[in-house]
Amino acid sequence: MAASASASLRHHLLLLRRPRFALSPIPTFRASSFPRLHQRLFASAPSSSAVEDGESSSSPVMPPDGSSVVDVNPPRGTRDFPPEDMRLRTWLFDQFREVSRIMAFEEVDFPVLESEALFIRKAGEEITQQLYNFEDKGGRRVVLRPEITPSLARLVIKQGKSVSLPLKWFTIGQCWRYERMTRGRRREHYQWNMDIFGMPKVRAESELLQAIILLFERLGITSSDVGIRVSSRKVLQAVLNMYSIPEHLFTEVCVIVDKLGKLTREEIEKELITTGLSSEAVQGIIEVLSLKSLPKLEEVLGSNVEAVADLKKLFSFAEQYGYADWICFDASVVRGLAYYTGIVFEAFDREGKLRAICGGGRYDRLLSTFGSEDVPACGFGFGDAVIVELLKEKGLLPDLSRQIDDIVFPLDEELEGPASSVASSLRRKGRSVDLVEDKRLKWVFKHAERINAGRLILVGKSEWERGMVRVKILSTREEYEVKADELQ
Amino acid sequence: MAASASASLRHHLLLLRRPRFALSPIPTFRASSFPRLHQRLFASAPSSSAVEDGESSSSPVMPPDGSSVVDVNPPRGTRDFPPEDMRLRTWLFDQFREVSRIMAFEEVDFPVLESEALFIRKAGEEITQQLYNFEDKGGRRVVLRPEITPSLARLVIKQGKSVSLPLKWFTIGQCWRYERMTRGRRREHYQWNMDIFGMPKVRAESELLQAIILLFERLGITSSDVGIRVSSRKVLQAVLNMYSIPEHLFTEVCVIVDKLGKLTREEIEKELITTGLSSEAVQGIIEVLSLKSLPKLEEVLGSNVEAVADLKKLFSFAEQYGYADWICFDASVVRGLAYYTGIVFEAFDREGKLRAICGGGRYDRLLSTFGSEDVPACGFGFGDAVIVELLKEKGLLPDLSRQIDDIVFPLDEELEGPASSVASSLRRKGRSVDLVEDKRLKWVFKHAERINAGRLILVGKSEWERGMVRVKILSTREEYEVKADELQ
């Protein structure tokens, strides 16, 4: 234990000196306070502490009275989900699940802990440089997974012949990364993944794009808010072929050119030259990557190139699905994952304020890197952070207040038995019932408002002696007596 | 990397030599194969490999052709959830959520990774001896949480005055443990937790018990299948007071006597003596723990003891809630967690074949161990493993086949465009649609049966020229044509 407390912990300690709990009504979960809560929920900076990576601040310290105080924040870069944040998360995940159901995908899941071997790749991707990895007590190299695709691929290999292709799977899971000394970035997020295995044609990509667009539509987002940039890694492949650049440089080149926008053009060019490319090839690559029109691409690469045929097919499908206004060709899209081989895409806000909302592509050769036979595959990952920022921006966050059917309240301590029967019988009918005791009636009314209760059921002495309870409908203020055993 | 492959991996390598995927129909997810799948799902032994803790078997190895093969199994002691297993898990979690809703609890969640400090306790509990802990790259001691209660307590402290008590929270999350060299036990499981903060009376315990019993009832389990043993740690406290045993030995004694049933009576006695208890006190403790009748307990301890009053109140509530036939007093129940202070309980199968189904109790002094003011609290944890074993045992596992509304199938490759429109428009209406291509019609019919499709929508050339599609209702074999744009 550290002997001295950091500034933020000293603040905690001060708070701890005062009584922290009161049985008084403090309306916290009211709808009016919702925007603030959302801001807290998906802010990219950890809300916990102003001191970033001051290692001592997450260790327990000794307060003056000698008892140890545990840091009340979750580990640096991670989130708690108190009820109001959890309601938003559940709502969002329900949208993911509903779209997946509509698209006829099946849900799967994997351990958040995986073997490091699944994620060891040498192309210099950011994702593999920030692995949250460690050695377990048995000496195994393990990671808190940074992404879910390798686990999906692993399960596909494991299931082997016992499943019939194509497989359409989705999953929603937490992913982790570890960055040292970086301010204001989270170390975990949740990701919705949809993947199709065993479908070699761009039909698969078209289906994935429909899923993403159906989700946007359900959330109230339009094609004037959001677009999806589409390209194919085969574009870059064709350019490399034009300059006779060896096959083994392909992945590395993809990972480098994905940094366009983050690095300057000069830095990108320098990195490309370092891999051994001629400056002529580098210029050729950068020129092609600036193309934003499919006819232009066809002009440059010729129409016999797979990249062009795939993209034309995809845009023709888009017309038939009815989502052509959402997508556009943009050769600069390459995506940062090493394993993509064909079509790649990413959704972006048209105002250009946010990072990519989701991204994906085809990865036909991932399984062979695991020593198995390849299966054509494509998929996308859709995080829980940027989409919520966008919904907030557009005023599309729903009002997710708490909702309870009934509050049962005995007016007298000796009526706690009858109140138990009343609550129990309503619950057996499937109604959500909050049984409240040891409060003043005024508190109960405020509480009823706070949790949007439908009815207040008062168990009073004189009524109970006649086998009755008093019911108050909270929306209409209507009040009546009813026989306890006829209460519905 | 290890230079040689273990037996099981050699087996994998052999499998990998053969083609693993075929586009042929292999009906795997049929309802008839369900029991087998369930067996695999919740078996306590990892299904992956016969070799236990042979460390080399989960490392990548070099096959003869020089490419590395990744182990297709999840890390030792963890599970994948392929679709059929996931459906069962989702069904079970939905039951947990529905009961929690009925009881008016709010859902919360926490990171699966927590600070080790939250779980460091010195009472010798199994749970703290098997921490899945490690040091992160920033030098912090962290754990994959073994239980969720300390995180709940942490969030209650963090929320502080901003929330109004009582709090009724539930969560469903994965918990981890690390055991070396133990065969056939899993390292993770999911746990449903319900907790009440700020309710000092046994009303809180009564509410938790109703939640557990409502769950059993929803699952089709009766009080002749399952019972809930109830006692109070105050029973043991009263015995320790009778023998003037110092307060600080209480927790340790609880953790020791919880091992009754696992260890012999002689071993327990020896451990108790080692803590410094007189053999007279040890005999007294063991005698009281054998009591199974509340009147007997009252006789031994007197009626002024809190333990007796609490338990009498709880059993009186049980009558009023209507679940008295589910619960029984059993002084031997102490539970293995150090922090319980009052009522403790655990659900058991009356045939005595299985481990405890769930367990919980009151922990009024946990928050002060974290340096905060105490808040009265109680809760339970309900795992996903034993309940499924019990449901299997009783034949109560539901049939959870896949269900799809429509399959859209173009009879001709040139109709893939129209098929896209048809599928897209049905999906926009909220129907789940599987768009199938490049298969024979025979395969499509088998597939429809396998996924319990409601309708098959055939897009054929001559029909499409007239703006029509052919619909086949699969349950009745009824077949008709309908205008594509009138399809509902």
Side-chain angles (χ1 to χ4, degrees):
Chain A
M1 282 183 220
S4 74
S6 73
S8 72
L9 257 167
R10 236 173 269 130
H11 179 66
H12 289 310
L13 292 180
L14 286 172
L15 285 177
L16 292 173
R17 309 268 113 214
R18 288 185 262 128
R20 297 180 66 81
F21 295 94
L23 292 172
S24 59
I26 304 167
T28 308
F29 298 148
R30 272 223 294 254
S32 63
S33 63
F34 213 65
R36 187 184 58 78
L37 293 166
H38 282 304
Q39 247 156 18
R40 194 181 71 216
L41 171 54
F42 285 94
S44 34
S47 58
S48 53
S49 159
V51 184
E52 277 300 310
D53 253 73
E55 299 296 323
S56 69
S57 74
S58 67
S59 314
V61 293
M62 297 294 275
D65 66 356
S67 68
S68 81
V69 170
V70 164
D71 188 356
V72 297
N73 297 303
R76 187 175 309 282
T78 70
R79 289 168 291 177
D80 289 323
F81 290 87
E84 62 281 9
D85 297 355
M86 192 66 197
R87 282 199 292 274
L88 177 62
R89 189 180 109 183
T90 301
W91 168 80
L92 182 64
F93 289 8
D94 283 350
Q95 307 292 325
F96 292 156
R97 287 206 169 86
E98 177 59 6
V99 168
S100 304
R101 183 194 68 77
I102 286 173
M103 296 300 298
F105 279 57
E106 297 183 276
E107 190 166 1
V108 292
D109 196 22
F110 309 94
V112 67
L113 190 79
E114 279 280 13
S115 297
E116 188 184 64
L118 278 184
F119 302 91
I120 296 294
R121 301 189 293 256
K122 291 175 195 124
E125 298 154 276
E126 190 181 63
I127 203 168
T128 62
Q129 288 165 349
Q130 298 178 344
L131 286 183
Y132 205 128
N133 54 0
F134 59 95
E135 195 166 283
D136 77 9
K137 293 178 187 171
R140 293 182 195 84
R141 296 297 308 173
V142 288
V143 294
L144 291 172
R145 62 174 173 210
E147 53 152 344
I148 309 185
T149 309
S151 302
L152 281 157
R154 182 176 61 60
L155 183 56
V156 169
I157 301 173
K158 184 175 148 200
Q159 300 272 79
K161 285 204 161 179
S162 74
V163 291
S164 149
L165 295 178
L167 285 178
K168 301 176 186 180
W169 283 352
F170 81 97
T171 185
I172 302 170
Q174 200 169 19
C175 298
W176 295 75
R177 67 173 161 199
Y178 195 96
E179 301 173 277
R180 266 177 207 260
M181 308 303 294
T182 313
R183 276 168 187 273
R185 295 190 75 183
R186 277 216 309 267
R187 287 188 176 152
E188 53 80 20
H189 74 150
Y190 282 86
Q191 210 180 75
W192 172 39
N193 278 244
M194 290 184 87
D195 292 82
I196 302 179
F197 289 85
M199 217 188 259
K201 298 185 183 172
V202 291
R203 167 65 81 190
E205 288 89 330
S206 315
E207 292 272 293
L208 295 176
L209 290 175
Q210 183 175 31
I212 292 168
I213 289 152
L214 281 177
L215 181 89
F216 286 142
E217 287 175 346
R218 289 182 68 83
L219 299 181
I221 293 167
T222 68
S223 61
S224 52
D225 301 321
V226 161
I228 304 179
R229 294 188 189 103
V230 183
S231 183
S232 171
R233 286 220 172 156
K234 289 178 189 164
V235 169
L236 212 50
Q237 186 67 68
V239 180
L240 298 195
N241 292 347
M242 278 165 66
Y243 294 95
S244 310
I245 295 160
E247 185 63 32
H248 71 268
L249 290 180
F250 176 66
T251 308
E252 213 177 325
V253 169
C254 288
V255 171
I256 294 170
V257 297
D258 177 60
K259 296 177 198 159
L260 268 166
K262 286 181 213 165
L263 302 185
T264 64
R265 181 167 162 163
E266 289 65 38
E267 288 168 315
I268 300 284
E269 288 180 7
K270 209 169 145 192
E271 280 201 39
L272 287 173
I273 298 273
T274 310
T275 66
L277 265 60
S278 68
S279 69
E280 199 195 352
V282 170
Q283 292 318 313
I285 288 170
I286 299 220
E287 244 165 68
V288 170
L289 288 185
S290 70
L291 296 177
K292 306 249 186 281
S293 133
L294 208 43
K296 261 273 154 47
L297 183 78
E298 192 167 353
E299 223 171 78
V300 175
L301 299 183
S303 51
N304 288 336
V305 176
E306 263 185 67
V308 174
D310 283 359
L311 287 163
K312 282 168 84 173
K313 185 83 189 172
L314 189 72
F315 281 87
S316 138
F317 268 134
E319 294 286 349
Q320 286 148 338
Y321 278 89
Y323 59 68
D325 47 339
W326 288 83
I327 69 170
C328 56
F329 169 69
D330 183 337
S332 73
V333 175
V334 228
R335 302 296 300 156
L337 293 170
Y339 48 67
Y340 288 133
T341 53
I343 298 282
V344 278
F345 53 86
E346 62 190 23
F348 63 100
D349 67 306
R350 294 202 192 263
E351 291 186 56
K353 290 185 185 171
L354 308 170
R355 284 163 293 140
I357 303 165
C358 69
R362 178 165 287 279
Y363 52 95
D364 284 348
R365 291 194 294 273
L366 179 59
L367 271 63
S368 62
T369 68
F370 295 157
S372 175
E373 305 231 340
D374 275 322
V375 175
C378 63
F380 67 80
F382 194 121
D384 68 345
V386 182
I387 187 64
V388 171
E389 283 178 59
L390 181 69
L391 291 171
K392 204 164 58 185
E393 191 86 37
K394 302 282 173 195
L396 293 169
L397 281 178
D399 178 10
L400 299 166
S401 314
R402 211 176 154 193
Q403 294 260 314
I404 294 292
D405 293 329
D406 300 316
I407 293 177
V408 172
F409 181 63
L411 290 165
D412 203 316
E413 202 183 327
E414 67 189 88
L415 293 165
E416 59 183 17
S420 312
S421 311
V422 170
S424 178
S425 111
L426 288 168
R427 285 166 175 164
R428 276 164 203 276
K429 295 186 176 89
R431 294 183 68 85
S432 61
V433 178
D434 193 14
L435 178 47
V436 175
E437 274 177 2
D438 301 325
K439 301 280 183 186
R440 286 157 184 266
L441 192 56
K442 198 178 152 193
W443 186 95
V444 178
F445 273 102
K446 277 198 183 159
H447 178 63
E449 207 177 301
R450 205 157 58 224
I451 67 175
N452 293 296
R455 302 186 302 184
L456 179 59
I457 294 158
L458 299 169
V459 186
K461 203 170 173 211
S462 65
E463 290 92 346
W464 189 254
E465 281 166 0
R466 289 178 283 116
M468 310 290 275
V469 292
R470 177 154 286 276
V471 175
K472 188 170 176 107
I473 309 290
L474 287 151
S475 58
T476 60
R477 307 264 143 194
E478 189 192 348
E479 223 181 304
Y480 54 89
E481 275 190 13
V482 64
K483 276 196 180 164
D485 51 15
E486 284 172 9
L487 195 61
Q488 287 298 318
Chain B
M1 284 186 214
S4 73
S6 73
S8 72
L9 258 167
R10 236 174 268 128
H11 180 64
H12 289 310
L13 292 179
L14 286 172
L15 286 176
L16 292 173
R17 310 267 115 215
R18 287 185 262 128
R20 296 179 67 80
F21 296 94
L23 292 171
S24 58
I26 305 166
T28 309
F29 298 146
R30 273 224 292 255
S32 63
S33 63
F34 213 66
R36 186 185 57 78
L37 294 167
H38 282 304
Q39 248 156 18
R40 193 182 70 214
L41 172 54
F42 287 94
S44 35
S47 59
S48 54
S49 157
V51 185
E52 277 301 310
D53 254 71
E55 301 294 324
S56 69
S57 72
S58 66
S59 314
V61 293
M62 297 294 275
D65 66 358
S67 68
S68 81
V69 171
V70 164
D71 188 356
V72 297
N73 297 304
R76 188 176 308 283
T78 70
R79 290 169 288 178
D80 289 323
F81 290 87
E84 62 280 11
D85 297 357
M86 192 66 198
R87 282 198 292 275
L88 178 61
R89 190 180 109 184
T90 301
W91 168 80
L92 183 64
F93 288 8
D94 283 349
Q95 307 292 323
F96 292 156
R97 287 205 169 87
E98 177 60 6
V99 168
S100 305
R101 183 193 69 77
I102 286 173
M103 297 300 298
F105 279 56
E106 297 183 275
E107 190 164 2
V108 292
D109 197 21
F110 309 95
V112 68
L113 191 79
E114 279 279 14
S115 296
E116 189 185 64
L118 278 185
F119 303 92
I120 297 294
R121 300 189 294 255
K122 292 173 193 126
E125 297 154 276
E126 191 181 61
I127 204 168
T128 61
Q129 289 166 348
Q130 297 177 346
L131 286 184
Y132 206 128
N133 54 1
F134 60 96
E135 197 167 282
D136 77 10
K137 293 177 187 172
R140 294 183 194 82
R141 296 295 309 171
V142 289
V143 294
L144 291 172
R145 63 173 172 210
E147 53 154 342
I148 309 184
T149 308
S151 303
L152 282 157
R154 182 177 61 61
L155 183 57
V156 169
I157 301 173
K158 184 175 147 198
Q159 299 272 80
K161 284 202 162 183
S162 75
V163 291
S164 148
L165 296 177
L167 285 178
K168 301 177 186 180
W169 283 352
F170 83 96
T171 186
I172 303 170
Q174 201 170 19
C175 298
W176 295 76
R177 66 173 162 199
Y178 195 96
E179 301 173 279
R180 265 176 207 262
M181 308 302 293
T182 314
R183 276 166 187 275
R185 296 191 75 184
R186 277 214 312 263
R187 287 188 175 152
E188 53 79 19
H189 75 148
Y190 282 87
Q191 211 179 74
W192 172 40
N193 278 244
M194 289 183 88
D195 292 81
I196 301 179
F197 289 86
M199 218 188 257
K201 298 185 183 173
V202 292
R203 167 65 80 190
E205 289 89 331
S206 314
E207 291 273 292
L208 295 176
L209 291 174
Q210 184 176 30
I212 293 168
I213 289 152
L214 281 177
L215 182 89
F216 287 142
E217 287 176 346
R218 288 183 69 85
L219 300 180
I221 293 167
T222 68
S223 61
S224 52
D225 301 323
V226 161
I228 304 180
R229 294 187 189 104
V230 182
S231 184
S232 171
R233 286 220 173 156
K234 291 177 187 166
V235 170
L236 212 49
Q237 186 67 67
V239 180
L240 297 195
N241 292 348
M242 279 164 66
Y243 292 96
S244 310
I245 296 161
E247 186 63 32
H248 71 267
L249 290 179
F250 176 65
T251 309
E252 212 178 326
V253 168
C254 287
V255 171
I256 294 170
V257 298
D258 177 61
K259 297 178 196 157
L260 269 166
K262 285 181 212 163
L263 303 183
T264 65
R265 183 170 160 158
E266 288 66 38
E267 287 168 315
I268 299 285
E269 289 179 7
K270 210 170 145 191
E271 282 200 38
L272 288 173
I273 298 274
T274 310
T275 66
L277 267 58
S278 68
S279 69
E280 200 194 350
V282 170
Q283 291 318 311
I285 287 169
I286 300 221
E287 245 164 67
V288 171
L289 289 183
S290 71
L291 295 177
K292 307 250 184 279
S293 134
L294 208 43
K296 262 272 154 47
L297 183 76
E298 193 167 354
E299 223 170 79
V300 175
L301 299 184
S303 51
N304 289 335
V305 175
E306 264 184 67
V308 174
D310 283 358
L311 287 162
K312 281 167 86 173
K313 184 83 188 173
L314 189 72
F315 281 88
S316 140
F317 269 134
E319 294 286 348
Q320 286 148 336
Y321 278 90
Y323 59 68
D325 48 337
W326 289 83
I327 69 169
C328 56
F329 169 69
D330 183 337
S332 73
V333 174
V334 228
R335 301 298 298 160
L337 293 170
Y339 48 68
Y340 288 133
T341 53
I343 298 283
V344 279
F345 53 85
E346 63 190 25
F348 63 99
D349 68 305
R350 295 201 191 266
E351 289 187 58
K353 290 185 185 171
L354 308 170
R355 284 163 294 139
I357 303 164
C358 68
R362 179 166 286 279
Y363 51 96
D364 284 348
R365 292 193 294 273
L366 179 59
L367 270 62
S368 61
T369 67
F370 294 158
S372 175
E373 304 228 342
D374 275 322
V375 175
C378 63
F380 67 80
F382 194 121
D384 68 344
V386 182
I387 186 66
V388 171
E389 282 178 59
L390 180 69
L391 291 170
K392 202 163 59 185
E393 191 85 38
K394 303 281 173 196
L396 292 170
L397 281 178
D399 178 9
L400 299 166
S401 314
R402 211 177 153 191
Q403 295 260 315
I404 294 292
D405 294 328
D406 300 316
I407 293 176
V408 171
F409 180 63
L411 289 165
D412 204 315
E413 202 181 326
E414 67 189 89
L415 293 165
E416 59 184 15
S420 313
S421 312
V422 170
S424 178
S425 112
L426 288 168
R427 285 167 175 162
R428 275 164 202 275
K429 295 187 176 88
R431 296 184 67 87
S432 62
V433 178
D434 193 14
L435 176 48
V436 175
E437 275 178 0
D438 301 324
K439 300 280 183 185
R440 286 158 182 264
L441 191 55
K442 199 177 152 192
W443 186 94
V444 178
F445 274 101
K446 277 197 183 159
H447 178 63
E449 207 176 301
R450 205 157 58 221
I451 67 175
N452 293 296
R455 302 187 302 184
L456 180 59
I457 293 160
L458 299 169
V459 185
K461 203 171 172 210
S462 64
E463 290 92 346
W464 189 252
E465 282 167 358
R466 289 178 283 116
M468 311 288 277
V469 293
R470 177 154 285 276
V471 175
K472 189 169 176 110
I473 310 290
L474 287 151
S475 58
T476 60
R477 305 266 142 196
E478 190 193 347
E479 223 181 305
Y480 54 88
E481 274 188 15
V482 64
K483 275 195 180 163
D485 51 15
E486 286 173 7
L487 195 61
Q488 289 296 320

